[in-house]
Amino acid sequence: MATGTVSPVPEGGENGSRTPPIRPLLDLSGAAIQGSREDKNPSILLPNQSEEVSHFAVDLGGSLIKLVYFSRRAELTNSVSSSGSRALSPVRKLDHLRQGGFVAGLRRYGGFPILGGRLHFVKFETSKVNDCLDFIQSKRLHIVDAKESKDGVIKATGGGAFKFADLFKERLGVTIDKEDEMGCLVAGANFLLRAIRDEAFTHLEGEKEFVQIDHNDLYPYLLVNIGSGVSMIKVVGEGQYERVSGTNVGGGTFWGLGRLLTKCKTFDEILEISQSGDNSAIDMLVGDIYGGLDYSKIGLSASTIASSFGKVIGQDKDLSEYRREDIALSLLRMISYNIGQVAYLNALRYGLKRIFFSGFFIRGHAYTMDTMSFAIRYWSKGEAQAMFLRHEGFLGALGAFLSYDKHGLSNLTAHQCVERFPMGAPYARGEIYGPPIHDLNGKITWMDKFVSKGNEITAPVPTSYNGTTGLGGFERPLARSCSLRSDASAALNVGVLHLVPSLEPFPLLADKQTYEPNTVDLSDQSEREYWLKILSDNLADLVEKAVASEGGDADAKRRGNAFARAFKAHLSRLREEPAAYGKLGLANLLEMREECLREFQFQDVYLAIKQRENEASMVVLPDLLDELDSIEPSARLLPLIEGVLAANIFDWGSRACVELYHSGTILEIYRMSRNKMKRPWRVDDFDAFYERMQPEGPFKPHKRALLFVDNSGADIVLGMIPLARELLRRGTEVVLVANSLPAINDVTALELPGIIAAAAKHCEILRKAATAGGLLVDVLNDDVTEKDLAKVPFLTVVENGCGSPCIDFRQVSSELASLAEDTDLIVLEGMGRALHTNFNAKFKCDVLKLAMVKNQRLAEQIINGSIYDCVCRFEPKERS
């Protein structure tokens, strides 16, 4: 056993401190959407923005004003918790890879990433432009420099940019810088389609399906923007577009005629009443002409509209005798079918198969989208499809916002956007109730008020838009029968889009376009309900641990109750509409739970448990290493794999394993599990892996192995560290890949150097490799020189870029992606990374997937087995 001083690399850089980065006036590096993937007017977080600045841009249309504005998020997360422990971020950077046989090490920064600001999306009726100006003044958005109160220039697009220029100057003291309307529409659409994975979707016969757009194959497409009128734009590239057609029959037509015929006062009211309409009372149908029969010869069904409003001709009725709802629906279908047909004819003319509809006429209205989709499918005979955008109404305003001095967004792609779903202000009937929510205390206060008034906290999708953003609006009376829903607009659930430039797709994925992380398909209702119930049943125990992790005081209990209500609201929302947050997978559910905990400032619920289990396991490690060293090298691999599988039983995310903790100590459970490691396992490719690892075989030792680790305690200490040690002994460089943020009892990248330092006290192999990898310092002496370390395979740690029990290889940290270059072995360990996700994933190198199954349903579905069955799946690289 080795002796001497071993210490992990200190916090910060060379002097232990972090130098604040120099930022531009508005730092859009890492921008991302807040809320659900279905909203039309989401807030966008700017995680790297820190200055007190305001920017906004407006699209001043004939019917509606669309406003995009930036506000600073004052909530800091680098704070001291009620228990007195500082929440430290695991954000770290590998300064450089091995150069001349030596790695400088990891740089670690204190504090979770500060979410410095967000982009909000708001709309006003153009006739109420003064309401918009009042809103801007109330938010002080027109003050460019808050300290010096300097006025400035704002970006604007739309016809109103000319019409209202003097009014903006008079009321706000700002000058409007007019941007080209078409250019802004195209710039906004290109950005969203390139940067947001679930931006586009189809909607046909009530079914919504998100469409994954390959940004390398985005062009050409037809953009149909439906505002007061309709513009049809052929887009062939960045900044390359042409308005090829249009029609004056658009949203303004629907609104104008709707007001005349129904007496409704708002656009949204007309849409709302149309939902209970029956257009057959107004429209002449094919069946009305042909005695209730289809006109099958030309493919027209009896229910096809032959003439909009045609039935009125033969009826001796006044307008007052017709139902408003029927008139609204007939008008909606007339406008929608007309636009859909004209759009298809233009797509046909220019050979475009991809048609995107945008504009405030659509506003997430299911029947509107269904009608247009039907028209496109009918006229194209199924060869083209209509697609819609979640941010449909804000393309122009967003494009104008992006026209400010370079924001660094030009090359942003979907893998750099992470969507989160925080809870927000109280909503009812599409309106926000109460003042703006500025901090966590304000959020919980509103939640408490809702509950105290007997209101159920749910997450519905109202049919009409609110007047401000999800952070709250002007004061309105609190109403009964209200509901609390995910933060963003009252139109649809939209997340906060965090733009994270440091995320990249994993280079070793065999096919990035077809890769699907989730193994479990939650589109099946029974499957979905099972996992929603699992999360619901485990909630009480999780809240108890969360509160205890923060000292158990009154503040912790209050936050714990708020977390439980918020997470229940998310589960209720998903029961009502599974696609509310985009394509739903088990990994998404598990990550949402962790994000919800962090939202209510529970940074590491299992921290104390992890520390206790690490310490208990470390006591056993020296004897385990001695035992392994006593085994012949040719026979050592099997007990090592058995050890990994046995130690993987320690998972606080599994109800079955939680029950085990009540019946024995960590060491007793580990020995019990180890004794049950009898082959053959349910999935058993050990022999193939053993053959690949033989030194006398046809293959050389692996050059670099990425070990994706799972749980703290015995799992990492008694399972993965011995396996890493064996690989090092064979000359393989080893990178332990761990979570960037805490999730259940999973070990984090921040915790691993300390664990390795403790293990290195008992092992010379680990000590030298960790020193070569930059994890340890103060070990160089006459016996161990820098030259000696140049010959040693390094052991280092890298964060994976996520804070979930699972991993999505479409978005990993840039450090991890850079280490993939010389990697020829991947080890995925644990249910989350090897079963819940990536069980069917294919890679460009050798892959070993190891897990003990701790859920009976999962065992039955994935491996046709039983609980506590083991998976040892080896997938060698395809060799020519």
Side-chain angles (χ1 to χ4, degrees):
M1 297 299 173
T3 60
T5 302
V6 286
S7 306
V9 173
E11 289 294 323
E14 295 178 1
N15 59 358
S17 62
R18 182 183 183 183
T19 302
I22 299 174
R23 306 178 190 276
L25 184 61
L26 181 60
D27 189 348
L28 287 184
S29 63
I33 288 183
Q34 172 169 13
S36 147
R37 292 178 177 151
E38 302 209 354
D39 271 322
K40 301 292 182 307
N41 48 346
S43 299
I44 297 185
L45 282 188
L46 304 180
N48 299 317
Q49 180 61 43
S50 61
E51 287 79 8
E52 292 279 4
V53 299
S54 294
H55 287 289
F56 73 98
V58 288
D59 180 359
L60 298 158
S63 305
L64 295 167
I65 297 173
K66 285 78 70 178
L67 170 69
V68 175
Y69 75 91
F70 166 81
S71 70
R72 182 172 186 263
R73 180 183 174 96
E75 180 181 357
L76 300 180
T77 56
N78 187 12
S79 59
V80 178
S81 68
S82 58
S83 62
S85 60
R86 185 167 68 94
L88 293 177
S89 168
V91 178
R92 18 166 108 224
K93 180 176 179 64
L94 189 60
D95 286 322
H96 56 271
L97 295 180
R98 185 170 185 168
Q99 297 178 2
F102 187 78
V103 174
L106 298 173
R107 179 165 296 170
R108 285 165 278 167
Y109 302 132
F112 285 91
I114 297 174
L115 305 180
R118 55 183 71 172
L119 293 178
H120 305 267
F121 297 76
V122 189
K123 64 90 179 176
F124 302 87
E125 293 181 14
T126 303
S127 61
K128 299 178 181 179
V129 63
N130 282 308
D131 287 350
C132 175
L133 297 174
D134 290 341
F135 178 80
I136 293 170
Q137 284 184 321
S138 73
K139 298 283 188 181
R140 295 176 60 83
L141 303 180
H142 59 304
I143 306 299
V144 176
D145 190 319
K147 295 179 181 179
E148 301 181 19
S149 295
K150 291 180 180 178
D151 298 328
V153 176
I154 66 164
K155 298 287 187 177
T157 188
F162 298 91
K163 180 179 180 180
F164 296 116
D166 292 341
L167 182 60
F168 271 72
K169 183 68 174 179
E170 177 186 341
R171 287 284 310 273
L172 304 178
V174 297
T175 300
I176 286 182
D177 185 7
K178 305 172 186 68
E179 294 292 327
D180 176 69
E181 187 171 359
M182 294 298 164
C184 288
L185 285 172
V186 173
N190 286 344
F191 168 75
L192 293 167
L193 289 169
R194 185 181 67 249
I196 303 176
R197 179 170 288 115
D198 290 328
E199 174 65 26
F201 61 92
T202 60
H203 200 291
L204 190 60
E205 298 179 354
E207 294 295 324
K208 174 179 291 186
E209 183 175 344
F210 290 96
V211 179
Q212 303 302 317
I213 303 295
D214 180 2
H215 70 272
N216 294 317
D217 188 33
L218 174 59
Y219 310 108
Y221 67 84
L222 185 70
L223 177 62
V224 181
N225 190 68
I226 312 171
S228 301
V230 182
S231 290
M232 301 189 184
I233 309 166
K234 181 179 71 170
V235 183
V236 296
E238 288 290 337
Q240 302 176 41
Y241 59 90
E242 177 187 2
R243 185 183 188 276
V244 294
S245 185
T247 172
N248 59 353
V249 180
T253 311
F254 175 74
W255 194 351
L257 287 175
R259 288 195 65 169
L260 287 173
L261 297 174
T262 69
K263 306 304 181 184
C264 290
K265 295 183 178 180
T266 67
F267 192 105
D268 293 314
E269 187 181 356
I270 304 172
L271 279 180
E272 186 174 353
I273 66 171
S274 73
Q275 293 184 100
S276 55
D278 177 7
N279 70 296
S280 65
I282 305 290
D283 296 336
M284 181 181 292
L285 308 181
V286 169
D288 296 326
I289 301 174
Y290 295 98
L293 301 177
D294 298 339
Y295 191 174
S296 55
K297 186 175 181 179
I298 59 174
L300 297 178
S301 69
S303 61
T304 301
I305 298 174
S307 174
S308 294
F309 288 85
K311 192 169 289 186
V312 175
I313 299 173
Q315 297 174 338
D316 187 18
K317 292 182 180 180
D318 293 330
L319 179 61
S320 60
E321 296 180 73
Y322 291 95
R323 293 176 67 240
R324 296 191 312 155
E325 295 82 355
D326 299 341
I327 294 173
L329 182 57
S330 178
L331 182 61
L332 175 65
R333 297 191 78 172
M334 181 182 76
I335 302 295
S336 299
Y337 277 143
N338 178 266
I339 296 172
Q341 184 174 11
V342 175
Y344 168 68
L345 291 175
N346 277 280
L348 181 66
R349 177 185 178 188
Y350 293 101
L352 307 173
K353 295 292 181 67
R354 194 175 282 164
I355 308 172
F356 294 104
F357 288 88
S358 68
F360 252 99
F361 174 70
I362 298 173
R363 59 183 61 201
H365 193 257
Y367 202 89
T368 304
M369 294 186 288
D370 265 1
T371 304
M372 290 188 173
S373 297
F374 175 82
I376 296 297
R377 185 178 67 171
Y378 176 83
W379 291 110
S380 72
K381 295 182 172 56
E383 293 185 5
Q385 61 178 346
M387 287 184 282
F388 305 92
L389 304 175
R390 290 161 49 206
H391 299 76
E392 58 195 4
F394 289 94
L395 301 187
L398 179 59
F401 188 89
L402 294 172
S403 70
Y404 281 105
D405 291 340
K406 295 297 183 180
H407 292 317
L409 297 180
S410 57
N411 297 317
L412 194 73
T413 54
H415 62 263
Q416 296 170 314
C417 297
V418 181
E419 202 163 24
R420 304 299 183 210
F421 314 103
M423 298 303 293
Y427 289 83
R429 304 179 191 91
E431 300 293 342
I432 298 172
Y433 288 82
I437 290 177
H438 294 295
D439 53 28
L440 181 60
N441 181 64
K443 180 183 296 187
I444 297 176
T445 297
W446 274 111
M447 294 174 72
D448 290 341
K449 286 184 178 181
F450 259 57
V451 173
S452 68
K453 290 179 176 289
N455 298 299
E456 180 184 1
I457 296 178
T458 58
V461 178
T463 57
S464 57
Y465 280 82
N466 57 296
T468 75
T469 69
L471 291 183
F474 299 112
E475 293 188 13
R476 297 187 176 119
L478 186 64
R480 291 188 176 275
S481 302
C482 302
S483 56
L484 182 71
R485 44 142 305 184
S486 290
D487 194 8
S489 74
L492 292 168
N493 279 353
V494 170
V496 177
L497 182 62
H498 302 253
L499 304 183
V500 189
S502 59
L503 292 180
E504 301 179 25
F506 190 54
L508 293 178
L509 280 175
D511 188 340
K512 298 181 181 68
Q513 297 302 321
T514 61
Y515 168 74
E516 168 56 48
N518 289 288
T519 306
V520 178
D521 181 11
L522 294 188
S523 62
D524 178 78
Q525 182 177 354
S526 63
E527 189 68 28
R528 183 172 61 252
E529 182 55 37
Y530 170 81
W531 288 104
L532 291 174
K533 186 176 184 301
I534 286 286
L535 293 175
S536 181
D537 291 345
N538 291 346
L539 187 56
D541 183 65
L542 180 59
V543 171
E544 181 181 346
K545 285 185 171 58
V547 172
S549 72
E550 293 288 322
D553 59 14
D555 174 67
K557 291 177 181 177
R558 183 169 180 255
R559 287 186 285 118
N561 289 334
F563 156 71
R565 292 170 186 164
F567 191 58
K568 284 180 181 177
H570 285 304
L571 298 181
S572 297
R573 179 74 188 89
L574 290 170
R575 283 190 171 98
E576 294 171 6
E577 187 175 353
Y581 298 154
K583 185 176 181 181
L584 184 63
L586 188 53
N588 310 103
L589 278 178
L590 297 177
E591 185 169 18
M592 180 182 293
R593 178 185 59 189
E594 301 304 322
E595 285 298 325
C596 198
L597 280 168
R598 285 189 276 272
E599 179 184 352
F600 291 92
Q601 296 185 359
F602 294 106
Q603 304 294 359
D604 196 345
V605 172
Y606 289 85
L607 179 61
I609 294 173
K610 291 190 293 183
Q611 291 173 341
R612 184 171 64 248
E613 294 187 355
N614 286 340
E615 292 170 359
S617 301
M618 201 62 67
V619 173
V620 183
L621 182 62
D623 291 338
L624 175 62
L625 296 182
D626 286 341
E627 177 185 333
L628 291 169
D629 288 343
S630 68
I631 301 174
E632 287 293 325
S634 60
R636 204 157 45 216
L637 194 58
L638 178 59
L640 282 164
I641 299 300
E642 288 176 338
V644 172
L645 295 172
N648 191 236
I649 196 172
F650 296 98
D651 186 348
W652 280 92
S654 164
R655 171 64 65 178
C657 294
V658 171
E659 293 172 355
L660 282 177
Y661 281 98
H662 298 306
S663 60
T665 66
I666 183 173
L667 297 181
E668 290 170 342
I669 297 171
Y670 173 72
R671 292 191 182 103
M672 176 273 294
S673 179
R674 186 68 184 264
N675 291 335
K676 290 185 177 181
M677 289 294 107
K678 304 297 183 184
R679 295 183 65 199
W681 301 312
R682 191 64 190 178
V683 177
D684 194 338
D685 294 335
F686 174 78
D687 292 340
F689 181 62
Y690 177 85
E691 181 179 351
R692 168 61 183 86
M693 296 293 288
Q694 292 310 298
E696 65 276 7
F699 305 110
K700 296 180 180 179
H702 292 100
K703 182 176 181 180
R704 179 180 297 161
L706 299 180
L707 275 56
F708 290 80
V709 298
D710 190 9
N711 305 301
S712 294
D715 197 352
I716 180 66
V717 176
L718 305 182
M720 292 300 282
I721 285 181
L723 178 61
R725 177 175 177 262
E726 181 67 19
L727 291 170
L728 291 167
R729 196 199 302 260
R730 293 166 179 252
T732 300
E733 300 168 346
V734 175
V735 181
L736 299 179
V737 186
N739 269 10
S740 300
L741 296 173
I744 323 179
N745 65 319
D746 289 3
V747 66
T748 68
L750 181 65
E751 297 161 347
L752 269 177
I755 294 173
I756 293 171
K761 294 177 181 178
H762 310 291
C763 176
E764 186 72 11
I765 296 173
L766 293 175
R767 189 172 77 105
K768 289 183 177 181
T771 302
L775 296 178
L776 304 180
V777 296
D778 300 330
V779 297
L780 296 179
N781 50 46
D782 292 339
D783 297 326
V784 181
T785 66
E786 202 167 308
K787 185 176 180 180
D788 294 329
L789 292 178
K791 305 174 184 178
V792 175
F794 68 72
L795 170 64
T796 193
V797 172
V798 69
E799 60 170 324
N800 58 19
C802 72
S804 166
C806 305
I807 187 167
D808 183 343
F809 279 103
R810 293 173 298 194
Q811 294 177 308
V812 302
S813 71
S814 56
E815 291 87 355
L816 173 56
S818 67
L819 287 165
E821 181 178 353
D822 292 322
T823 295
D824 47 5
L825 173 63
I826 294 172
V827 179
L828 296 174
E829 186 234 355
M831 285 207 308
R833 296 161 188 82
L835 290 179
H836 290 149
T837 54
N838 302 305
F839 185 70
N840 299 317
K842 302 299 181 183
F843 298 87
K844 298 177 182 178
C845 65
D846 292 348
V847 180
L848 181 64
K849 300 173 183 178
L850 300 171
M852 176 183 283
V853 189
K854 282 91 67 176
N855 177 277
Q856 179 61 37
R857 190 181 185 102
L858 198 67
E860 293 172 356
Q861 288 188 328
I862 298 181
I863 62 173
N864 194 28
S866 303
I867 193 168
Y868 302 129
D869 276 348
C870 291
V871 172
C872 176
R873 186 174 190 176
F874 179 60
E875 299 167 348
K877 173 186 177 181
E878 293 186 7
R879 294 175 173 84
S880 56

